[in-house]
Amino acid sequence: MKRIEEIPMYRRTKGPLMTIGVIVNNAILLIAAALSLLPILHIIAVSFSENAPANANLVGLIPIGFNLKAYAEAVTDSKMLVALVQTIKRTALGVPVNMILTILCAYPLSYHKKDFPMRTFYSGFVIFTMLFSGGLIPSYILMSRLNLMDTLWALVLPGIPVFNVIIMMNFFREIPEEIKEAAMIDGAEHFTMLTRIILPTSGAVLATLTLFCFVGHWNAWFDALIYMKDLTRYPLQNYIQTQVARMTLSPDLEEAKRLAFISRRSLLFARIFISIVPILIVYPFLQKYFQTGIIVGAVKG
Amino acid sequence: MKELSKKLKLKRTWQLHVMMVPIVVLLVIFCYVPMIGIVVSFQDYLPTKGFFGSPWVGLDNYRFLFSLNDFFQIIRNTLIISGGKILLGLIISIFFAIMLYESNMRIMKNVVQTSVFLPYFLSWVVLGGIFIDIFSLEGVVNRIISFLGIEPVMFMGHPIWFVIVIIITDVWKVYGYNMIVFYAAIMGIDTALYESATIDGAGRIRQVFAITLPSIAPMIVVMGMLSLGNILNAGFDQIFNMYNPTVMSTADILDTYIYRMGVVSGQYSFATAVGFFKSIVAMILIVTSNWAAKRFAGYRIF
């Protein structure tokens, strides 16, 4: 496949009309890139600003009266820290569980039905769950019947990553036959084959899907909204959500104390920024893998 | 080689079955059991009495649903929001895919690709919090338009403006994805076509309409059809985090309605009926659209 940055020779610019075209083209692209980042840069600027300019909404993209007071209040907010710990716990539990399930499901399904006669049945069984669901309320009733409400398991077990299974299965199929056959000559069984041959050659897809799982768990909130009755068990996203919803109400006593010297907007945006820092850290890798993933998916079709 | 691999085939398929056990068990519990739970919609479900103790009411919940004016309004809202997102999303992503291809600056391509994907990975909780502020009466957007001499607009409190904001912000979040799909499709076009067009004296804009767009037309149709399969998902995450009581008349969609009826008001049976209606229609749409995409352009997901 052609490299993505490649610019064909014959398309180099010539003539004055072309020069205008090139300028307009690149200007539009630059505006698109800026529009994607500006809202985020704006809230970061507000979170670092002084009380008065932040309240009066005078801050654009550069903080006015740079200070860290909003962050000092955010990181000493014990409820927010509890929520952060919940998010870390669900991510730490959810990512390995999801990945193990994905691997265990993708490996058998990567075989042709001639080698694994039940494959058609299993794949149909898995795919059907993508097409049809019982809906929100039956799942909700079930979760309370199973006594999983208010537990982390309610956030981890139902998230069966069928889409990831498909990506991983396709990757396993691409592993050259010769490698697999060499293992078969040595008399390897399936478990050995998976752990010794398949997984060590699948570093790329494992890294990509781990990253996706991580972002998925970090950003998830709806499951906790319905399955966590005890609000102290809310993950970070739900805590932020509560804070956003409260912006129209007057602050409670605890919050009012925090707002003595800072704007309410600065505090909210400091909380939001803290919540997206891990995503920003993994973003460069995420973007790289994600893009190749989309292109491979689209080309393979 | 074929003979050899046949002989060496791993015989012990029971191990493959063992591997499938965990996922099958979880799918049965968390996906298939709730499907059976749809029977709740034919009952007047009372949590204290459970599945077996609650009285049966036949199709009452469905009759009630179809007699509601609200229901048609919600379907209309869902289709308008979803349709708007699909249409604008396709236009924007195709436009920028072409722009990206036409750019002669390598650094610009990298900058654009790195920037436009970032919002894709942020949750609607975070983005909702940001947009409610930015589109508020005193927010940045109103600052800019009043600077231009236009009256401030209540974006978040006006039923029609709200829908426009919903559509635009959703496209803003996700267009990078389809942009890359179309960009890859454009990269696959035979460059000889452009070369001969250049020799024939066709300008760049002419080439876009004569070569690029016709070449990626099948891809556009596939992407469009696959989105139509999901037309009943108007974006619960986004709307739930951005809507407010003043815009209910246009912003309430199927999923927000099901959530409020079921989880908030506790009308389990009624909400299950609405959910079942949605699941059935969605399944028909997804199967049809995937079939059409496969037939039209040989696209297959599994």
Side-chain angles (χ1 to χ4, degrees):
Chain A
M1 202 173 96
K2 202 183 278 188
R3 272 168 58 91
I4 211 153
E5 305 90 0
E6 200 174 302
I7 297 146
M9 276 303 277
Y10 67 94
R11 312 214 84 187
R12 295 283 156 87
T13 53
K14 284 182 220 90
L17 201 62
M18 208 53 143
T19 316
I20 296 169
V22 167
I23 292 169
V24 171
N25 172 289
N26 287 308
I28 289 175
L29 286 179
L30 195 63
I31 292 169
L35 281 178
S36 294
L37 302 179
L38 289 180
I40 297 145
L41 295 177
H42 171 67
I43 66 138
I44 295 173
V46 174
S47 72
F48 285 112
S49 291
E50 282 287 354
N51 193 351
N55 267 337
N57 213 340
L58 298 173
V59 185
L61 298 171
I62 299 153
I64 299 177
F66 183 90
N67 69 83
L68 296 170
K69 280 183 272 182
Y71 288 88
E73 294 296 339
V75 296
T76 51
D77 172 1
S78 60
K79 284 184 187 160
M80 168 140 170
L81 295 177
V82 169
L84 179 64
V85 170
Q86 277 298 103
T87 295
I88 293 171
K89 276 201 223 159
R90 82 165 283 174
T91 310
L93 183 67
V95 172
V97 168
N98 288 0
M99 286 307 289
I100 290 169
L101 285 173
T102 309
I103 293 166
L104 286 181
C105 185
Y107 176 75
L109 292 186
S110 71
Y111 279 93
H112 194 272
K113 64 176 179 230
K114 273 187 247 156
D115 298 328
F116 182 34
M118 288 282 276
R119 187 200 175 269
T120 317
F121 167 76
Y122 282 122
S123 67
F125 189 83
V126 173
I127 291 298
F128 187 67
T129 63
M130 285 176 97
L131 297 177
F132 186 74
S133 81
L136 173 65
I137 304 303
S139 310
Y140 177 77
I141 296 173
L142 173 78
M143 205 56 86
S144 62
R145 294 261 142 181
L146 291 173
N147 280 327
L148 287 175
M149 289 285 198
D150 281 330
T151 67
L152 282 178
W153 296 110
L155 312 182
V156 168
L157 293 179
I160 295 144
V162 175
F163 207 74
N164 289 0
V165 169
I166 296 175
I167 297 175
M168 193 178 283
M169 180 191 78
N170 282 330
F171 191 92
F172 287 170
R173 282 183 181 162
E174 299 293 309
I175 296 172
E177 278 300 311
E178 294 76 39
I179 298 181
K180 294 180 191 164
E181 262 162 27
M184 289 179 210
I185 291 169
D186 292 345
E189 311 215 351
H190 283 294
F191 285 107
T192 332
M193 176 81 126
L194 179 60
T195 52
R196 297 273 171 82
I197 312 291
I198 303 290
L199 292 183
T201 46
S202 307
V205 77
L206 292 176
T208 312
L209 295 182
T210 305
L211 228 43
F212 289 171
C213 269
F214 167 78
V215 173
H217 275 288
W218 193 269
N219 280 343
W221 56 273
F222 183 65
D223 45 8
L225 180 74
I226 57 173
Y227 297 141
M228 295 295 171
K229 294 288 151 203
D230 175 0
L231 300 193
T232 63
R233 290 173 196 266
Y234 264 1
L236 191 54
Q237 293 286 332
N238 301 73
Y239 183 73
I240 304 259
Q241 192 173 43
T242 321
Q243 297 304 326
V244 173
R246 275 203 190 158
M247 287 299 275
T248 51
L249 314 169
S250 50
D252 60 17
L253 196 63
E254 206 184 325
E255 187 82 347
K257 268 188 216 158
R258 279 185 213 112
L259 296 171
F261 302 105
I262 48 166
S263 156
R264 212 173 176 190
R265 295 178 68 225
S266 300
L267 182 56
L268 177 71
F269 293 152
R271 283 171 170 146
I272 287 182
F273 184 57
I274 292 171
S275 81
I276 65 173
V277 163
I279 306 282
L280 297 179
I281 292 172
V282 298
Y283 179 64
F285 308 99
L286 206 57
Q287 188 243 346
K288 196 180 100 203
Y289 289 135
F290 187 64
Q291 203 160 295
T292 30
I294 300 173
I295 292 174
V296 170
V299 169
K300 277 183 57 122
Chain B
M1 201 61 192
K2 264 254 136 54
E3 240 357 80
L4 184 66
S5 55
K6 227 175 215 170
K7 261 186 230 160
L8 293 170
K9 197 153 289 163
L10 291 165
K11 284 276 183 256
R12 299 184 174 78
T13 50
W14 66 265
Q15 294 177 334
L16 297 177
H17 293 286
V18 171
M19 288 182 194
M20 290 300 297
V21 168
I23 199 113
V24 168
V25 169
L26 286 177
L27 285 177
V28 166
I29 295 176
F30 294 108
C31 295
Y32 285 93
V33 170
M35 288 180 202
I36 301 166
I38 288 171
V39 294
V40 165
S41 70
F42 302 104
Q43 294 180 324
D44 181 14
Y45 181 79
L46 302 162
T48 46
K49 292 191 176 164
F51 292 110
F52 302 105
S54 298
W56 292 90
V57 294
L59 291 171
D60 279 7
N61 287 311
Y62 293 92
R63 273 192 212 108
F64 179 60
L65 174 65
F66 290 112
S67 72
L68 279 179
N69 279 332
D70 277 6
F71 180 64
F72 293 99
Q73 185 179 323
I74 284 154
I75 296 286
R76 187 201 64 192
N77 294 346
T78 308
L79 295 179
I80 289 175
I81 293 176
S82 239
K85 285 177 177 177
I86 294 172
L87 201 64
L88 187 68
L90 279 177
I91 294 170
I92 294 287
S93 50
I94 293 166
F95 176 77
F96 282 107
I98 293 171
M99 281 292 172
L100 201 60
Y101 181 69
E102 294 293 329
S103 174
N104 58 347
M105 290 171 70
R106 185 167 300 177
I107 184 159
M108 188 61 79
K109 292 184 188 227
N110 288 332
V111 166
V112 170
Q113 289 175 41
T114 307
S115 317
V116 299
F117 267 118
L118 182 60
Y120 192 92
F121 295 104
L122 303 179
S123 74
W124 273 116
V125 169
V126 162
L127 295 176
I130 297 174
F131 283 130
I132 289 173
D133 185 87
I134 287 180
F135 284 102
S136 69
L137 207 51
E138 300 86 30
V140 180
V141 175
N142 271 318
R143 294 244 151 203
I144 295 169
I145 65 172
S146 58
F147 182 75
L148 299 172
I150 305 166
E151 283 284 296
V153 181
M154 292 244 316
F155 289 107
M156 305 307 278
H158 186 284
I160 293 172
W161 275 114
F162 182 81
V163 170
I164 295 172
V165 168
I166 285 290
I167 292 172
I168 291 176
T169 52
D170 183 73
V171 171
W172 171 87
K173 184 179 194 277
V174 301
Y175 81 91
Y177 185 94
N178 282 351
M179 180 187 81
I180 290 300
V181 172
F182 289 124
Y183 185 67
I186 298 174
M187 295 297 284
I189 300 173
D190 186 358
T191 48
L193 289 174
Y194 292 107
E195 275 162 36
S196 50
T198 312
I199 293 163
D200 291 345
R204 291 279 276 269
I205 295 174
R206 180 83 196 276
Q207 291 181 18
V208 166
F209 287 99
I211 301 171
T212 313
L213 282 175
S215 305
I216 62 169
M219 191 54 115
I220 298 174
V221 173
V222 169
M223 299 305 282
M225 279 189 300
L226 294 181
S227 337
L228 281 180
N230 278 314
I231 200 159
L232 291 186
N233 292 323
F236 175 87
D237 285 21
Q238 179 194 21
I239 291 172
F240 183 79
N241 281 302
M242 285 169 78
Y243 76 166
N244 58 68
T246 55
V247 293
M248 275 307 183
S249 61
T250 55
D252 202 15
I253 54 166
L254 267 171
D255 289 318
T256 49
Y257 187 71
I258 295 170
Y259 171 79
R260 276 185 293 109
M261 288 302 129
V263 180
V264 180
S265 320
Q267 301 179 45
Y268 294 127
S269 291
F270 177 63
T272 308
V274 186
F276 184 45
F277 168 79
K278 191 201 156 198
S279 290
I280 285 283
V281 178
M283 183 171 76
I284 295 168
L285 288 174
I286 293 171
V287 171
T288 317
S289 64
N290 274 282
W291 174 82
K294 185 179 165 185
R295 193 174 159 133
F296 190 86
Y299 177 92
R300 262 186 97 227
I301 187 154
F302 202 65

